[in-house]
Amino acid sequence: MDLVAEVRRGKLRAIARTISLIEDLEPEAESLVDALYPHTGRSLIVGVTGSPGAGKSTLVDKLITLERGRGRKVAVIAVDPSSPFSGGAILGDRLRMQTHATDPGVFIRSMASRGFLGGIAAATGDVIKVLDAAGYQSIFIETIGVGQTEIKIVELSDIVVLVLMPGAGDEIQAMKAGVMEIGDIFVINKKDLPGADKLLAEVQYVLSFKNPTGRSGERNQSEGGGNPVLMTSAARDEGIEQLHRAIGAYAEEIDGSGRLADKRRFRLQRELLGILTRKVHELMDVQIEVSKQLPQWAESLYRHRARPYALINEQIGNFLREKSNDREN
Amino acid sequence: MDLVAEVRRGKLRAIARTISLIEDLEPEAESLVDALYPHTGRSLIVGVTGSPGAGKSTLVDKLITLERGRGRKVAVIAVDPSSPFSGGAILGDRLRMQTHATDPGVFIRSMASRGFLGGIAAATGDVIKVLDAAGYQSIFIETIGVGQTEIKIVELSDIVVLVLMPGAGDEIQAMKAGVMEIGDIFVINKKDLPGADKLLAEVQYVLSFKNPTGRSGERNQSEGGGNPVLMTSAARDEGIEQLHRAIGAYAEEIDGSGRLADKRRFRLQRELLGILTRKVHELMDVQIEVSKQLPQWAESLYRHRARPYALINEQIGNFLREKSNDREN
């Protein structure tokens, strides 16, 4: 079966299989991503991040319901960079999204760090492309925590929703880690907990520096300009409609102003650099494999049937060609 | 001027210039080495190593005189891996070879570590090829000390002469560092110093384990089988003729038995692995250069005029091709 065509038709098994090939760093993943690439660029990618327990999964769950109500296909990628296994805490979170488990218009996938550092961000970038080409209009990327890797991952998004909660030490954390910088829309979830208003004030205070001419410091919701700050209670289904509208409005605004295009261009730059870095790492692994062929190559050299640099350059070239062989399939 | 042709005709300026290109890691060095490679394999490469002060330079100086007496062209590469500059201690040593400074049949070059670790061994391997193609029948590689890098460098030789001296703590050092393993011919220089006989006994004792069936433990000179052990006084010109004969006999012996061919094959394997490793390092540097072109590439991607993996693979391919461009000149 032609995996690329199947993915484009939105076949779930083909999508899941392609994602597995990417996660497992299989050689054919490259050509699959390349073949799907021309059909990407249509999805809105929404990153949802924030400290554990802030209610990100419940929030995403409610947003999916609203998206589905508008007939849009939705995908969720839940990433846990710290865990070497798919599952664990994330699996528990996934259970809360069981509402949509039987909905064929919703695709949910957990990803965890399997190999080298930074690999998960690269894999996530490729998985986004697969889901984009498969026709999911909205793709949510949800991460656990707000570490460096998580920031890298949410930077793959068009819009980043930063979810905070009162009393979790977020007040200090937010200022310290500079995570405020990565957020486009700020959500104070669990707004009924004590300290919610204080957190709101602090977030607005920090944003007043980020958007000195904006109006973000003066309101809870926004339809344009600056960074919207909203208070929600995902569990009680309060404020979700407003958040959903804010995301839509923000997307429209950055699309119109050209900021979305700029964001995507910059993201592509980072992705290319990531691929290049990965290539170099792969070439290092080749060194090990190559040692098996060394006696044979040395024999050619000894008999003056080859030249040292030409030989090595050719071998590296072969290796690269192999990897990108049937790109055009 | 065609540098390759000039080198082959033994033009000193062309040789010196080619070596400089290799040392400076200039891009054209690769193609020059490749172009010269078919004309290599004719020189006898003699590594001379041992602790500082053992009299290696004086010994080489005397050997040059004997070689020249037989009408052979001789080259000396003096390597100091620990020094970031050509010169220093080595320059002082070189002065002792001034005897041959005006002899056009003798080429002397100092090399020092200029860049990354291990680079000096790679550069030395390439310089040997240049001198080989230039028609030097004997190439002496002299190193300071007996560290890991020095061992790597003398392993580029067909024959390794290990020079020891009495009273320099060589007795213990030799056993400890396993440097005895790399020696083919053992020289106890400054044989008039106290402790020379004791050192001789110790070397023979150690060699009796290395060559359990050989005769090396029972004699000072050898014409075949086992590892010759000789006592010299380079300053007084004693034992040099014998050493020169021993080197010649040893070369003939390993050539006849096929051991020289095996040695050279194995050396080519190590050199190829070295080139591959260097390539990977170079590719890492490309990452930095590439960042300038990233915006342009990202724009192509953004407009769907390219595909991410195809683009990167092509760029790496271009880089490699550039390096080995005019190989056939």
Side-chain angles (χ1 to χ4, degrees):
Chain A
M1 285 271 53
D2 184 349
L3 212 48
V4 172
E6 297 269 284
V7 168
R8 291 201 54 206
R9 261 182 270 139
K11 295 291 167 80
L12 293 181
R13 274 192 59 176
I15 296 167
R17 170 143 176 69
T18 305
I19 293 175
S20 293
L21 291 171
I22 291 168
E23 283 189 313
D24 296 346
L25 299 172
E26 293 294 337
E28 59 259 57
E30 277 192 16
S31 40
L32 284 171
V33 170
D34 268 10
L36 290 168
Y37 183 75
H39 313 288
T40 62
R42 297 185 185 93
S43 309
L44 181 71
I45 301 150
V46 181
V48 180
T49 192
S51 38
K56 295 182 295 293
S57 291
T58 316
L59 216 56
V60 170
D61 185 66
K62 304 287 182 184
L63 288 170
I64 294 172
T65 306
L66 292 175
E67 285 284 282
R68 292 301 293 141
R70 277 145 191 83
R72 288 165 65 90
K73 280 178 73 184
V74 186
V76 182
I77 308 170
V79 190
D80 184 1
S82 59
S83 158
F85 307 104
S86 302
I90 276 196
L91 197 64
D93 284 349
R94 288 291 76 63
L95 292 174
R96 292 181 221 156
M97 291 193 201
Q98 283 298 325
T99 334
H100 311 287
T102 55
D103 181 348
V106 179
F107 184 91
I108 299 172
R109 177 86 174 208
S110 289
M111 288 178 74
S113 181
R114 293 204 188 177
F116 62 102
L117 215 79
I120 186 125
T124 305
D126 283 348
V127 169
I128 289 170
K129 290 186 191 75
V130 173
L131 296 169
D132 189 341
Y136 292 96
Q137 283 115 324
S138 295
I139 302 173
F140 290 97
I141 312 172
E142 186 196 328
T143 64
I144 301 264
V146 284
Q148 278 307 308
T149 315
E150 286 87 344
I151 287 177
K152 245 186 174 174
I153 289 163
V154 293
E155 279 178 344
L156 296 165
S157 319
D158 296 322
I159 297 175
V160 175
V161 177
L162 187 61
V163 185
L164 306 168
M165 66 175 283
D170 276 342
E171 297 86 344
I172 305 134
Q173 260 205 346
M175 321 301 148
K176 251 199 207 162
V179 283
M180 298 294 282
E181 281 306 312
I182 64 161
D184 295 303
I185 296 175
F186 294 81
V187 173
I188 294 163
N189 194 33
K190 306 193 179 177
K191 67 183 173 77
D192 301 316
L193 285 185
D197 289 330
K198 184 168 167 277
L199 180 55
L200 173 67
E202 291 194 16
V203 169
Q204 287 174 331
Y205 177 73
V206 172
L207 286 179
S208 69
F209 293 103
K210 192 178 170 186
N211 304 302
T213 58
R215 295 160 293 145
S216 65
E218 296 147 27
R219 59 199 170 132
N220 285 1
Q221 299 171 25
S222 160
E223 300 292 317
N227 298 102
V229 187
L230 297 101
M231 294 183 89
T232 58
S233 172
R236 297 181 188 188
D237 229 333
E238 291 170 12
I240 310 297
E241 290 259 11
Q242 288 87 333
L243 173 60
H244 188 249
R245 268 204 305 276
I247 293 171
Y250 196 89
E252 237 171 75
E253 180 198 327
I254 60 174
D255 191 16
S257 70
R259 277 213 291 144
L260 181 61
D262 287 346
K263 250 185 166 182
R264 287 182 173 182
R265 280 189 184 93
F266 188 64
R267 198 160 75 214
L268 287 166
Q269 284 192 35
R270 267 200 310 251
E271 282 192 61
L272 283 174
L273 194 61
I275 294 171
L276 187 65
T277 308
R278 201 154 30 129
K279 282 281 155 192
V280 172
H281 279 270
E282 282 175 3
L283 281 170
M284 288 173 137
D285 294 341
V286 182
Q287 282 178 252
I288 296 155
E289 281 204 29
V290 142
S291 44
K292 293 171 210 154
Q293 295 180 64
L294 275 179
Q296 183 191 327
W297 295 351
E299 186 63 28
S300 306
L301 272 191
Y302 181 73
R303 300 190 176 280
H304 289 102
R305 286 181 188 146
R307 299 172 190 214
Y309 288 100
L311 183 70
I312 291 299
N313 287 335
E314 194 191 313
Q315 292 300 330
I316 295 179
N318 287 349
F319 162 76
L320 293 171
R321 258 189 302 282
E322 234 171 69
K323 282 258 172 185
S324 53
N325 228 349
D326 40 359
R327 177 174 309 114
E328 305 301 329
N329 68 346
Chain B
M1 285 271 52
D2 185 349
L3 213 49
V4 172
E6 297 269 287
V7 168
R8 290 199 58 206
R9 261 182 271 138
K11 296 290 167 81
L12 292 181
R13 276 191 58 177
I15 296 167
R17 169 141 177 72
T18 305
I19 292 176
S20 294
L21 291 171
I22 290 168
E23 282 190 312
D24 297 345
L25 300 173
E26 292 295 336
E28 59 261 54
E30 278 192 15
S31 41
L32 285 170
V33 171
D34 268 11
L36 291 168
Y37 184 76
H39 313 288
T40 61
R42 297 184 186 95
S43 310
L44 181 70
I45 300 149
V46 181
V48 180
T49 192
S51 37
K56 297 183 294 291
S57 290
T58 316
L59 216 56
V60 170
D61 185 66
K62 304 287 182 183
L63 288 170
I64 293 172
T65 307
L66 293 176
E67 286 283 282
R68 293 300 294 142
R70 277 148 190 82
R72 288 165 64 93
K73 282 179 71 185
V74 186
V76 182
I77 308 171
V79 191
D80 184 1
S82 59
S83 159
F85 308 104
S86 301
I90 276 196
L91 197 63
D93 283 351
R94 288 293 75 64
L95 293 174
R96 292 180 221 158
M97 290 192 201
Q98 284 296 327
T99 334
H100 310 288
T102 54
D103 181 347
V106 179
F107 184 92
I108 299 172
R109 177 86 175 208
S110 289
M111 289 178 73
S113 181
R114 292 206 190 174
F116 61 102
L117 214 79
I120 185 121
T124 306
D126 283 348
V127 169
I128 289 170
K129 290 185 192 75
V130 173
L131 296 169
D132 189 341
Y136 292 97
Q137 283 115 324
S138 294
I139 302 172
F140 290 97
I141 312 171
E142 186 196 327
T143 64
I144 301 263
V146 285
Q148 279 306 309
T149 315
E150 286 87 346
I151 288 177
K152 245 186 176 173
I153 290 163
V154 293
E155 279 177 346
L156 296 165
S157 320
D158 296 324
I159 297 174
V160 175
V161 177
L162 187 63
V163 185
L164 305 169
M165 67 175 282
D170 276 342
E171 298 86 343
I172 305 133
Q173 260 204 346
M175 323 297 148
K176 250 199 206 159
V179 283
M180 298 294 281
E181 282 306 313
I182 63 160
D184 294 304
I185 296 174
F186 295 81
V187 173
I188 294 164
N189 195 31
K190 307 193 179 177
K191 69 184 174 73
D192 301 315
L193 286 184
D197 289 331
K198 186 170 165 275
L199 179 55
L200 173 67
E202 290 194 17
V203 169
Q204 287 175 330
Y205 177 74
V206 172
L207 287 178
S208 69
F209 293 102
K210 192 177 169 188
N211 305 302
T213 58
R215 294 159 294 144
S216 64
E218 295 146 27
R219 64 206 163 126
N220 285 0
Q221 299 172 25
S222 161
E223 300 292 316
N227 297 102
V229 186
L230 298 100
M231 294 183 90
T232 59
S233 172
R236 299 181 188 187
D237 228 333
E238 291 171 9
I240 309 298
E241 289 260 10
Q242 290 86 334
L243 172 59
H244 188 250
R245 268 205 305 277
I247 293 171
Y250 197 89
E252 236 172 75
E253 179 198 327
I254 60 173
D255 191 18
S257 70
R259 275 213 292 144
L260 181 61
D262 287 346
K263 250 185 165 180
R264 288 183 172 181
R265 280 189 184 94
F266 187 63
R267 199 161 75 215
L268 287 166
Q269 283 192 35
R270 264 199 313 249
E271 282 193 61
L272 283 174
L273 194 61
I275 294 171
L276 187 65
T277 308
R278 204 158 24 131
K279 282 280 154 193
V280 171
H281 280 269
E282 282 176 3
L283 282 170
M284 288 172 137
D285 294 341
V286 181
Q287 283 179 250
I288 295 155
E289 281 204 29
V290 142
S291 44
K292 294 171 209 155
Q293 297 180 62
L294 275 180
Q296 181 190 328
W297 295 351
E299 187 64 29
S300 305
L301 271 190
Y302 181 73
R303 300 191 176 279
H304 288 103
R305 285 178 190 150
R307 300 173 189 214
Y309 287 100
L311 183 69
I312 291 298
N313 287 335
E314 196 192 313
Q315 292 300 329
I316 295 180
N318 286 349
F319 162 76
L320 292 171
R321 257 188 303 281
E322 233 170 69
K323 282 259 172 185
S324 54
N325 226 350
D326 41 357
R327 179 175 308 113
E328 303 301 330
N329 68 346

